[in-house]
């Protein structure tokens, strides 16, 4: 198997981020974004996808959490795209359905080389911990656009914490399965992804 790991950084006037990712890891993570609940979700994502993930992000969180969540989503998507490489042999498409108490998340992904996201979720509260719930959708959109993948996700439930966490877990499981090496060809009628 080829090495599917990548390190990337991104620095703007609003954020300074470094990410190290190993797709074929053991679920170890060291995440620090300045947004505690977001750190918890990214840690859950790493553990349930068995990705080794280090994220160090400094952002203008005194303004709000938007720029940090957006830029982490952008860079994490770019890092995944880089680590995947030519996509030779990957399963490409997968889905996961994950319950968490009252919540049920369904996430389907296609590592297609085309970015698109269909996200169906609503939250009762403006924040869970220090994460603005409106930025959950923004994270997935940013990831899909920069990784050039399709994400179709929905969640139902009563508790916003459970809903968000089940989304991140389902995303991790679907992505991990879609990245599984099954053969030695590019899984596309076009011959490229």
């Amino acid at each position: 198997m080829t090495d599917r790991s990548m390190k990337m950084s991104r620095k703007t006037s609003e954020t300074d981020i470094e990410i190290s990712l190993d797709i074929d890891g053991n679920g170890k993570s060291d995440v620090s974004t300045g947004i505690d609940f977001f750190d918890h979700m990214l840690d859950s994502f790493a553990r349930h996808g068995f990705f080794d993930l280090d994220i160090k992000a400094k952002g203008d969180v005194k303004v709000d959490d938007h720029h940090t969540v957006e830029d982490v989503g952008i860079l994490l998507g770019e890092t995944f795209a880089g680590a995947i490489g030519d996509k030779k042999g990957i399963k490409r498409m997968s889905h996961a359905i994950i319950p968490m108490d009252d919540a049920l998340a369904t996430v389907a992904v296609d590592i297609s080389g085309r970015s698109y996201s269909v996200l169906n979720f609503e939250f009762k509260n403006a924040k869970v911990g220090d994460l603005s719930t409106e930025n959950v959708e923004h994270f997935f959109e940013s990831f899909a656009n920069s990784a050039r993948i399709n994400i179709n996700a929905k969640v139902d439930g009563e508790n916003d914490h459970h809903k968000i966490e089940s989304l991140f877990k389902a995303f991790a499981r679907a992505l991990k399965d879609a990245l599984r090496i099954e053969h030695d060809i590019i899984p596309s009628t076009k011959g490229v992804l």
Side-chain angles (χ1 to χ4, degrees):
M1 179 182 288
T2 60
D3 179 39
R4 298 197 298 173
S5 62
M6 178 69 61
K7 291 182 181 181
M8 296 188 80
S9 61
R10 173 185 170 93
K11 188 171 185 174
T12 71
S13 61
E14 299 163 340
T15 61
D16 186 357
I17 304 168
E18 294 180 359
I19 295 180
S20 174
L21 167 72
D22 184 349
I23 288 172
D24 301 308
N26 297 305
K28 297 176 185 174
S29 68
D30 184 7
V31 177
S32 177
T33 66
I35 307 163
D36 293 338
F37 188 73
F38 191 39
D39 292 353
H40 177 47
M41 294 303 98
L42 292 168
D43 176 66
S44 183
F45 171 75
R47 288 178 192 274
H48 289 274
F50 295 93
F51 307 123
D52 288 348
L53 179 64
D54 290 342
I55 300 177
K56 300 291 177 270
K58 295 179 183 175
D60 56 357
V61 293
K62 290 183 180 179
V63 174
D64 71 9
D65 55 335
H66 179 93
H67 297 139
T68 300
V69 172
E70 175 181 50
D71 287 1
V72 167
I74 291 169
L75 189 60
L76 187 56
E78 290 174 355
T79 305
F80 262 93
I84 295 166
D86 66 4
K87 305 179 185 106
K88 186 175 181 180
I90 64 169
K91 183 177 178 184
R92 180 181 158 180
M93 294 168 266
S94 191
H95 69 279
I97 301 170
I98 301 294
M100 185 171 180
D101 298 341
D102 60 291
L104 183 66
T106 303
V107 176
V109 298
D110 180 2
I111 302 171
S112 62
R114 298 180 312 276
S115 59
Y116 204 86
S117 54
V118 177
L119 308 170
N120 293 304
F121 35 86
E122 294 181 11
F123 304 107
K124 294 178 180 178
N125 300 295
K127 285 187 174 255
V128 173
D130 52 353
L131 175 67
S132 300
T133 53
E134 68 182 4
N135 288 330
V136 174
E137 182 174 343
H138 196 47
F139 169 81
F140 285 103
E141 288 171 343
S142 298
F143 189 107
N145 288 336
S146 61
R148 296 179 304 282
I149 68 172
N150 289 187
I151 301 172
N152 193 310
K154 67 178 182 177
V155 67
D156 294 303
E158 294 299 317
N159 181 287
D160 286 346
H161 182 134
H162 296 162
K163 289 164 70 175
I164 295 168
E165 190 161 353
S166 63
L167 277 169
F168 274 83
K169 289 176 179 178
F171 182 48
R173 290 295 175 114
L175 195 55
K176 182 64 169 189
D177 190 50
L179 291 166
R180 185 165 35 96
I181 303 294
E182 290 191 323
H183 39 71
D184 63 354
I185 61 170
I186 302 284
S188 171
T189 56
K190 296 179 178 77
V192 295
L193 286 173

